């Protein structure tokens, strides 16, 4: 069989791919009682004329995760820019729990800006945090995301992920056939950059743990091969050139190894390649299809999908163990696939099809100790779940109005947002690790 067709048959769900396509968050579901917060427009001087509105960036970040409700600017009673100008009674009157103020200054003729911000608990009339951040005027979005991280952590106790990024594949029809692009963008789809263009499919992008590299599958030689690309320089190297399937590359937690699927010895099995020595270790050895590897948080075991019992289910095997020492993790679904653990090593994100009669694939979490399942999505063709670096949300690919889009859902299922593209199909999201 043609290797391209064989690889596509191995995947549980068909992967499509679209040019740099700008995505823009649309909140589709939030919590019932969001936290009220006032983000006052930051005072600016003439030296930073034309710079992005950092307060608007912070406000958008906080609202986009569905847990905050920013006060409309038309409802502000005052415009403080520092603590001495803050009168808590104004904000208590407006029923705001938190208040963020700040100022932006620069040096005339220079691209350097200083952003000073202060964050307050209105009910306790308490300044929680404040600092000065410096950068280039072109880095205002980065500064805004960093401030949103601080605010989010102060309120929720969880580290913010607003400075994280996403990878995704776009497939866009052209007169001479579909064109494919691998793109990188901010978590909210802004500032997209094309990392690779191809007339042939690109699949399975995966970040290195330090965020400096990405591994993916490219068909540019008309056969699936695994590549690693340095994001900053664009330099890339081919990792595999085996006959048949070369797919599903996933970096180990320490970044020194790459799990993958190869059919070099017959049926598709899981292998691990040491990226320093290039030594290749076979992990599974079974006539069935073993695919979609992911690592346990400790890096000692591989979770994978196999149809060895007739339908796709999730299994786990410790590195170095006999191929017979495989633990089955899912039993209650007709098909379960594309699994990875949350950082706790107990709860497993996966794609599931409940019954033979059901045509739907949804994102769910199963606790492998209690076997309790929480289904997080209610659309019908959900695939490729990827976890935010702070463990708070899952991004996945789905269909909306006949086109591929990216959706995200919180791990409790309460918050959802969508990143539709203006053109093309968007697939295979990969959420970055923390990048600072």
């Amino acid at each position: 069989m043609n290797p391209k067709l064989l690889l596509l048959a191995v995947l549980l769900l068909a992967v499509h791919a679209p040019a740099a396509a700008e995505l823009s968050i649309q909140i589709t579901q939030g919590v019932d009682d969001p936290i009220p917060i006032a983000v006052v427009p930051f005072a600016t001087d003439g030296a930073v004329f034309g710079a992005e509105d950092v307060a608007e960036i912070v406000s958008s970040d906080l609202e986009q995760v569905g847990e905050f409700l920013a006060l409309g600017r038309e409802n502000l009673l005052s415009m403080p820019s520092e603590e001495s100008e803050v009168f808590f009674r104004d904000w208590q009157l407006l029923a705001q729990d938190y208040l963020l103020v700040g100022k932006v200054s620069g040096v005339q003729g220079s691209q350097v800006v200083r952003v000073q911000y202060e964050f307050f608990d209105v009910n306790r009339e308490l300044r929680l945090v404040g600092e000065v951040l410096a950068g280039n005027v072109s880095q205002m979005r980065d500064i805004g995301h960093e401030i949103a991280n601080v605010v989010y952590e102060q309120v929720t106790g969880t580290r913010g992920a607003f400075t994280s990024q996403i990878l995704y594949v776009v497939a866009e029809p052209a007169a001479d056939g579909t064109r494919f692009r691998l793109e990188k963008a901010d978590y909210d789809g802004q500032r997209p950059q094309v990392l690779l263009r191809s007339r042939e499919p690109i699949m399975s992008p995966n970040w290195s743990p330090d965020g400096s590299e990405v591994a993916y599958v490219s068909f540019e030689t008309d056969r699936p091969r695994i590549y690693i690309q340095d994001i900053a320089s664009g330099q890339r190297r081919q990792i595999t050139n085996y006959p048949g399937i070369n797919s599903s590359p996933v970096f180990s937690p320490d970044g020194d190894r790459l799990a993958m699927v190869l059919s070099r010895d017959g049926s598709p099995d899981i292998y691990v390649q040491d990226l320093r020595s290039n030594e290749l270790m076979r992990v599974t050895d079974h006539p069935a299809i073993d695919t979609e590897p992911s690592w346990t948080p400790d890096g000692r075991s591989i979770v994978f999908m196999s149809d060895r019992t007739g339908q796709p289910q999730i299994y786990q095997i410790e590195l170095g163990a006999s191929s017979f020492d495989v633990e089955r993790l899912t039993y209650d679904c007709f098909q379960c696939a594309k699994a990875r653990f949350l950082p706790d090593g107990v709860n497993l994100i996966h794609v599931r099809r409940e019954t033979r009669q059901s045509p739907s694939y949804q994102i769910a979490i199963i606790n492998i100790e209690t076997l309790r399942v929480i289904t997080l999505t209610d659309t019908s063709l959900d695939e490729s779940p990827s976890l935010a670096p702070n463990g708070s949300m899952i991004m996945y690919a789905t269909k909306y109005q006949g086109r591929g889009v990216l959706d995200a859902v919180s791990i409790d299922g309460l918050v959802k947002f969508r990143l539709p593209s203006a053109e093309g199909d968007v697939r295979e999201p990969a959420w970055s690790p923390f990048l600072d």
Side-chain angles (χ1 to χ4, degrees), residues 6-251:
L6 180 57
L7 177 57
L8 293 174
V10 166
L11 300 178
L12 174 64
L13 300 172
V15 177
H16 306 280
E22 185 162 315
L23 312 177
S24 181
I25 282 182
Q26 296 177 0
I27 302 169
T28 56
Q29 180 177 306
V31 297
D32 293 334
D33 190 21
I35 299 165
I37 182 171
V39 181
V40 179
F42 285 19
T44 61
D45 62 28
V48 291
F49 178 78
E52 288 196 75
D53 186 338
V54 67
E56 179 60 30
I57 294 167
V58 175
S59 180
S60 295
D61 281 347
L62 297 175
E63 287 204 310
Q64 284 165 353
V65 296
E67 297 177 51
F68 293 82
L69 179 62
L71 182 67
R73 292 185 173 184
E74 69 278 7
N75 296 318
L76 298 174
L77 295 180
S78 58
M79 300 277 283
S81 61
E82 58 185 32
E83 184 173 15
S84 64
E85 300 171 350
V86 172
F87 297 96
F88 288 106
R89 66 179 180 273
D90 292 348
W91 309 102
Q92 291 165 354
L93 180 65
L94 293 169
Q96 299 303 295
D97 288 350
Y98 296 95
L99 170 67
L100 179 71
V101 304
K103 59 181 69 175
V104 182
S105 58
V107 179
Q108 192 70 39
S110 169
Q111 291 295 303
V112 176
V113 294
R114 295 173 72 253
V115 179
Q116 174 184 317
Y117 73 91
E118 295 175 282
F119 183 54
F120 303 91
D121 184 317
V122 172
N123 297 315
R124 292 192 292 163
E125 300 188 2
L126 178 67
R127 179 182 184 271
L128 298 175
V129 66
E131 63 180 328
V132 176
L133 301 176
N136 190 282
V137 69
S138 64
Q139 297 175 301
M140 291 296 279
R141 290 197 67 82
D142 300 300
I143 292 172
H145 290 327
E146 182 56 42
I147 296 172
N149 280 345
V150 173
V151 170
Y152 185 86
E153 186 168 4
Q154 286 288 326
V155 176
T156 68
T158 300
R159 185 178 179 184
F162 301 110
T163 52
S164 63
Q165 298 179 331
I166 56 173
L167 296 166
Y168 49 92
V169 175
V170 184
E172 191 168 16
D176 56 351
T178 303
R179 300 294 181 92
F180 298 86
R181 299 189 311 277
L182 174 61
E183 296 185 8
K184 174 179 75 74
D186 291 357
Y187 89 97
D188 56 2
Q190 299 298 302
R191 299 189 292 186
Q193 300 176 38
V194 177
L195 302 183
L196 180 67
R197 299 179 189 270
S198 180
R199 294 176 179 270
E200 299 296 334
I202 304 167
M203 293 173 145
S204 306
N206 180 259
W207 292 87
S208 65
D210 65 0
S212 66
E213 295 181 313
V214 56
Y216 53 83
V217 175
S218 172
F219 282 86
E220 62 198 67
T221 63
D222 203 40
R223 295 177 180 274
R225 298 295 180 258
I226 295 172
Y227 296 80
I228 291 179
Q229 181 169 330
D230 181 86
I231 291 176
S233 68
Q235 293 184 343
R236 55 203 294 262
R237 62 189 190 274
Q238 185 173 328
I239 300 299
T240 65
N241 192 30
Y242 300 110
I245 293 171
N246 298 232
S247 73
S248 305
V250 184
F251 284 96

Side-chain angles (χ1 to χ4, degrees), residues 243-322:
I245 293 171
N246 298 232
S247 73
S248 305
V250 184
F251 284 96
S252 62
D254 61 10
D256 292 336
R257 295 161 294 169
L258 198 68
M260 62 189 70
V261 176
L262 304 174
S263 61
R264 50 170 282 176
D265 298 309
S267 61
D269 278 298
I270 310 299
Y271 291 75
V272 170
Q273 182 165 321
D274 188 304
L275 295 175
R276 295 166 300 181
S277 67
N278 291 325
E279 180 182 357
L280 187 68
M281 177 178 68
R282 187 171 186 172
V283 178
T284 67
D285 185 358
H286 196 278
I289 293 174
D290 294 342
T291 188
E292 299 177 351
S294 68
W295 296 82
T296 54
D298 61 11
R300 297 174 56 185
S301 299
I302 297 287
V303 175
F304 64 99
M305 185 273 280
S306 178
D307 66 350
R308 58 185 62 194
T309 56
Q311 293 295 335
Q313 298 293 332
I314 307 303
Y315 298 82
Q316 180 175 327
I317 185 171
E318 186 173 348
L319 295 183
S322 164

Side-chain angles (χ1 to χ4, degrees), residues 386-409:
S386 182
L387 186 66
N390 63 359
S392 66
M393 300 199 78
I394 301 164
M395 190 170 290
Y396 58 98
T398 189
K399 284 282 190 180
Y400 177 67
Q401 296 182 342
R403 291 174 47 199
V405 298
L406 304 184
D407 277 13
V409 60

Side-chain angles (χ1 to χ4, degrees), residues 312-351:
Q313 298 293 332
I314 307 303
Y315 298 82
Q316 180 175 327
I317 185 171
E318 186 173 348
L319 295 183
S322 164
S323 60
F324 296 102
D325 295 329
V326 173
E327 179 184 5
R328 182 171 171 177
L329 301 182
T330 58
Y331 291 89
D332 65 332
C333 52
F334 177 63
Q335 294 178 345
C336 281
K338 204 66 179 179
R340 65 159 293 175
F341 275 108
L342 289 172
D344 60 16
V346 175
N347 288 290
L348 193 71
I349 303 165
H350 62 291
V351 177

